[in-house]
PDB file of all heavy atoms in Angstrom:
ATOM      1  N   MET G 262      31.929 275.557 -33.338  1.00 57.00           N
ATOM      2  CA  MET G 262      32.348 276.768 -32.742  1.00 57.00           C
ATOM      3  C   MET G 262      32.352 277.881 -33.790  1.00 57.00           C
ATOM      4  O   MET G 262      32.041 278.988 -33.416  1.00 57.00           O
ATOM      5  CB  MET G 262      33.808 276.616 -32.274  1.00 57.00           C
ATOM      6  CG  MET G 262      33.901 275.641 -30.996  1.00 57.00           C
ATOM      7  SD  MET G 262      32.909 276.026 -29.638  1.00 57.00           S
ATOM      8  CE  MET G 262      33.373 277.793 -29.260  1.00 57.00           C
ATOM      9  N   LYS G 271      34.237 285.455 -25.456  1.00 75.00           N
ATOM     10  CA  LYS G 271      34.655 285.258 -24.044  1.00 75.00           C
ATOM     11  C   LYS G 271      33.583 284.836 -23.158  1.00 75.00           C
ATOM     12  O   LYS G 271      33.860 284.512 -21.990  1.00 75.00           O
ATOM     13  CB  LYS G 271      35.016 286.872 -23.577  1.00 75.00           C
ATOM     14  CG  LYS G 271      36.262 287.401 -24.358  1.00 75.00           C
ATOM     15  CD  LYS G 271      37.146 288.045 -23.554  1.00 75.00           C
ATOM     16  CE  LYS G 271      38.248 288.740 -24.288  1.00 75.00           C
ATOM     17  NZ  LYS G 271      39.340 287.921 -24.819  1.00 75.00           N
ATOM     18  N   SER G 272      32.345 284.688 -23.633  1.00 79.00           N
ATOM     19  CA  SER G 272      31.297 284.250 -22.970  1.00 79.00           C
ATOM     20  C   SER G 272      31.216 282.666 -22.893  1.00 79.00           C
ATOM     21  O   SER G 272      31.506 281.982 -23.761  1.00 79.00           O
ATOM     22  CB  SER G 272      30.067 284.556 -23.471  1.00 79.00           C
ATOM     23  OG  SER G 272      28.852 283.990 -22.901  1.00 79.00           O
ATOM     24  N   CYS G 273      31.023 281.951 -21.702  1.00 80.00           N
ATOM     25  CA  CYS G 273      30.991 280.688 -21.510  1.00 80.00           C
ATOM     26  C   CYS G 273      29.967 280.098 -22.425  1.00 80.00           C
ATOM     27  O   CYS G 273      30.226 278.877 -22.966  1.00 80.00           O
ATOM     28  CB  CYS G 273      30.621 280.270 -19.967  1.00 80.00           C
ATOM     29  SG  CYS G 273      30.454 278.569 -19.787  1.00 80.00           S
ATOM     30  N   ALA G 274      28.870 280.693 -22.681  1.00 78.00           N
ATOM     31  CA  ALA G 274      27.806 280.064 -23.423  1.00 78.00           C
ATOM     32  C   ALA G 274      28.150 279.879 -24.990  1.00 78.00           C
ATOM     33  O   ALA G 274      27.494 279.095 -25.576  1.00 78.00           O
ATOM     34  CB  ALA G 274      26.589 281.066 -23.376  1.00 78.00           C
ATOM     35  N   PHE G 275      29.199 280.579 -25.356  1.00 79.00           N
ATOM     36  CA  PHE G 275      29.636 280.384 -26.684  1.00 79.00           C
ATOM     37  C   PHE G 275      31.142 279.766 -26.746  1.00 79.00           C
ATOM     38  O   PHE G 275      31.991 280.038 -27.587  1.00 79.00           O
ATOM     39  CB  PHE G 275      29.762 281.794 -27.485  1.00 79.00           C
ATOM     40  CG  PHE G 275      28.234 282.207 -27.555  1.00 79.00           C
ATOM     41  CD1 PHE G 275      27.865 283.163 -26.770  1.00 79.00           C
ATOM     42  CD2 PHE G 275      27.423 281.814 -28.497  1.00 79.00           C
ATOM     43  CE1 PHE G 275      26.476 283.750 -26.820  1.00 79.00           C
ATOM     44  CE2 PHE G 275      26.102 282.210 -28.627  1.00 79.00           C
ATOM     45  CZ  PHE G 275      25.644 283.270 -27.803  1.00 79.00           C
ATOM     46  N   SER G 276      31.357 278.896 -25.743  1.00 80.00           N
ATOM     47  CA  SER G 276      32.670 278.352 -25.491  1.00 80.00           C
ATOM     48  C   SER G 276      32.497 276.775 -25.552  1.00 80.00           C
ATOM     49  O   SER G 276      31.493 276.297 -25.455  1.00 80.00           O
ATOM     50  CB  SER G 276      33.329 278.816 -24.365  1.00 80.00           C
ATOM     51  OG  SER G 276      32.836 278.198 -23.188  1.00 80.00           O
ATOM     52  N   PRO G 277      33.721 276.000 -25.719  1.00 81.00           N
ATOM     53  CA  PRO G 277      33.610 274.533 -25.611  1.00 81.00           C
ATOM     54  C   PRO G 277      33.115 274.142 -24.172  1.00 81.00           C
ATOM     55  O   PRO G 277      32.568 272.991 -24.162  1.00 81.00           O
ATOM     56  CB  PRO G 277      35.082 274.169 -25.739  1.00 81.00           C
ATOM     57  CG  PRO G 277      35.704 275.270 -26.566  1.00 81.00           C
ATOM     58  CD  PRO G 277      35.009 276.563 -26.092  1.00 81.00           C
ATOM     59  N   ARG G 278      33.224 274.981 -23.218  1.00 83.00           N
ATOM     60  CA  ARG G 278      32.524 274.580 -21.888  1.00 83.00           C
ATOM     61  C   ARG G 278      31.152 274.225 -21.921  1.00 83.00           C
ATOM     62  O   ARG G 278      30.597 273.573 -21.088  1.00 83.00           O
ATOM     63  CB  ARG G 278      33.061 275.446 -20.793  1.00 83.00           C
ATOM     64  CG  ARG G 278      34.411 275.504 -20.458  1.00 83.00           C
ATOM     65  CD  ARG G 278      34.643 276.496 -19.247  1.00 83.00           C
ATOM     66  NE  ARG G 278      34.204 277.757 -19.646  1.00 83.00           N
ATOM     67  CZ  ARG G 278      34.266 278.819 -18.806  1.00 83.00           C
ATOM     68  NH1 ARG G 278      34.970 278.726 -17.776  1.00 83.00           N
ATOM     69  NH2 ARG G 278      33.799 280.052 -19.203  1.00 83.00           N
ATOM     70  N   ALA G 279      30.331 274.788 -22.844  1.00 83.00           N
ATOM     71  CA  ALA G 279      29.023 274.742 -22.909  1.00 83.00           C
ATOM     72  C   ALA G 279      28.457 273.726 -23.887  1.00 83.00           C
ATOM     73  O   ALA G 279      27.421 273.627 -24.266  1.00 83.00           O
ATOM     74  CB  ALA G 279      28.373 276.125 -23.248  1.00 83.00           C
ATOM     75  N   LEU G 280      29.450 272.850 -24.413  1.00 85.00           N
ATOM     76  CA  LEU G 280      29.191 271.810 -25.339  1.00 85.00           C
ATOM     77  C   LEU G 280      29.338 270.395 -24.740  1.00 85.00           C
ATOM     78  O   LEU G 280      30.167 270.152 -23.872  1.00 85.00           O
ATOM     79  CB  LEU G 280      30.036 271.930 -26.581  1.00 85.00           C
ATOM     80  CG  LEU G 280      30.014 273.142 -27.298  1.00 85.00           C
ATOM     81  CD1 LEU G 280      31.061 273.203 -28.504  1.00 85.00           C
ATOM     82  CD2 LEU G 280      28.627 273.493 -27.997  1.00 85.00           C
ATOM     83  N   GLU G 281      28.395 269.633 -25.110  1.00 88.00           N
ATOM     84  CA  GLU G 281      28.374 268.231 -24.541  1.00 88.00           C
ATOM     85  C   GLU G 281      28.376 267.337 -25.966  1.00 88.00           C
ATOM     86  O   GLU G 281      27.673 267.587 -26.827  1.00 88.00           O
ATOM     87  CB  GLU G 281      27.073 267.935 -23.726  1.00 88.00           C
ATOM     88  CG  GLU G 281      26.837 266.547 -23.418  1.00 88.00           C
ATOM     89  CD  GLU G 281      25.511 266.382 -22.702  1.00 88.00           C
ATOM     90  OE1 GLU G 281      24.461 266.517 -23.456  1.00 88.00           O
ATOM     91  OE2 GLU G 281      25.581 266.165 -21.549  1.00 88.00           O
ATOM     92  N   ARG G 298      24.876 273.117 -23.875  1.00 82.00           N
ATOM     93  CA  ARG G 298      24.418 273.032 -22.407  1.00 82.00           C
ATOM     94  C   ARG G 298      24.876 274.237 -21.689  1.00 82.00           C
ATOM     95  O   ARG G 298      25.790 274.181 -20.966  1.00 82.00           O
ATOM     96  CB  ARG G 298      25.045 271.824 -21.810  1.00 82.00           C
ATOM     97  CG  ARG G 298      24.558 270.460 -22.444  1.00 82.00           C
ATOM     98  CD  ARG G 298      23.252 270.050 -21.938  1.00 82.00           C
ATOM     99  NE  ARG G 298      23.093 270.212 -20.516  1.00 82.00           N
ATOM    100  CZ  ARG G 298      23.443 269.255 -19.599  1.00 82.00           C
ATOM    101  NH1 ARG G 298      23.882 268.043 -20.086  1.00 82.00           N
ATOM    102  NH2 ARG G 298      23.243 269.259 -18.425  1.00 82.00           N
ATOM    103  N   VAL G 299      24.174 275.412 -21.856  1.00 80.00           N
ATOM    104  CA  VAL G 299      24.587 276.565 -21.241  1.00 80.00           C
ATOM    105  C   VAL G 299      24.418 276.556 -19.658  1.00 80.00           C
ATOM    106  O   VAL G 299      24.948 277.244 -18.960  1.00 80.00           O
ATOM    107  CB  VAL G 299      23.748 277.881 -21.665  1.00 80.00           C
ATOM    108  CG1 VAL G 299      24.157 278.117 -23.151  1.00 80.00           C
ATOM    109  CG2 VAL G 299      22.294 277.733 -21.587  1.00 80.00           C
ATOM    110  N   ASP G 300      23.527 275.432 -19.341  1.00 80.00           N
ATOM    111  CA  ASP G 300      23.334 275.320 -17.929  1.00 80.00           C
ATOM    112  C   ASP G 300      24.633 274.885 -17.009  1.00 80.00           C
ATOM    113  O   ASP G 300      24.704 274.920 -15.899  1.00 80.00           O
ATOM    114  CB  ASP G 300      22.261 274.317 -17.608  1.00 80.00           C
ATOM    115  CG  ASP G 300      22.472 272.986 -18.086  1.00 80.00           C
ATOM    116  OD1 ASP G 300      23.083 272.894 -19.315  1.00 80.00           O
ATOM    117  OD2 ASP G 300      22.074 271.987 -17.549  1.00 80.00           O
ATOM    118  N   LYS G 301      25.702 274.553 -17.752  1.00 80.00           N
ATOM    119  CA  LYS G 301      27.079 274.326 -17.259  1.00 80.00           C
ATOM    120  C   LYS G 301      27.847 275.565 -16.926  1.00 80.00           C
ATOM    121  O   LYS G 301      28.804 275.483 -16.355  1.00 80.00           O
ATOM    122  CB  LYS G 301      27.761 273.322 -18.120  1.00 80.00           C
ATOM    123  CG  LYS G 301      27.253 271.976 -18.410  1.00 80.00           C
ATOM    124  CD  LYS G 301      28.112 271.201 -19.345  1.00 80.00           C
ATOM    125  CE  LYS G 301      27.679 269.827 -19.431  1.00 80.00           C
ATOM    126  NZ  LYS G 301      28.445 268.898 -20.300  1.00 80.00           N
ATOM    127  N   CYS G 302      27.327 276.627 -17.464  1.00 82.00           N
ATOM    128  CA  CYS G 302      28.022 277.960 -17.334  1.00 82.00           C
ATOM    129  C   CYS G 302      27.617 278.626 -15.928  1.00 82.00           C
ATOM    130  O   CYS G 302      26.530 278.629 -15.657  1.00 82.00           O
ATOM    131  CB  CYS G 302      27.789 278.833 -18.470  1.00 82.00           C
ATOM    132  SG  CYS G 302      28.458 278.199 -20.043  1.00 82.00           S
ATOM    133  N   PRO G 303      28.589 279.307 -15.262  1.00 76.00           N
ATOM    134  CA  PRO G 303      28.299 279.870 -14.052  1.00 76.00           C
ATOM    135  C   PRO G 303      27.257 281.111 -14.246  1.00 76.00           C
ATOM    136  O   PRO G 303      26.614 281.446 -13.149  1.00 76.00           O
ATOM    137  CB  PRO G 303      29.600 280.335 -13.544  1.00 76.00           C
ATOM    138  CG  PRO G 303      30.567 280.118 -14.561  1.00 76.00           C
ATOM    139  CD  PRO G 303      30.052 279.328 -15.592  1.00 76.00           C
ATOM    140  N   GLU G 304      27.313 281.825 -15.425  1.00 76.00           N
ATOM    141  CA  GLU G 304      26.389 282.916 -15.529  1.00 76.00           C
ATOM    142  C   GLU G 304      24.912 282.505 -15.660  1.00 76.00           C
ATOM    143  O   GLU G 304      23.968 283.281 -15.600  1.00 76.00           O
ATOM    144  CB  GLU G 304      26.742 283.971 -16.593  1.00 76.00           C
ATOM    145  CG  GLU G 304      26.767 283.277 -17.903  1.00 76.00           C
ATOM    146  CD  GLU G 304      28.208 282.789 -18.387  1.00 76.00           C
ATOM    147  OE1 GLU G 304      28.971 282.393 -17.514  1.00 76.00           O
ATOM    148  OE2 GLU G 304      28.438 282.864 -19.571  1.00 76.00           O
TER     149      GLU G 304
END
Side-chain angles (χ1 to χ4, degrees):
M262 297 299 305
K271 301 220 186 281
S272 170
C273 173
F275 297 99
S276 75
R278 291 185 304 184
L280 298 177
E281 170 186 72
R298 296 282 311 272
V299 295
D300 58 324
K301 293 181 175 184
C302 297
E304 62 262 32

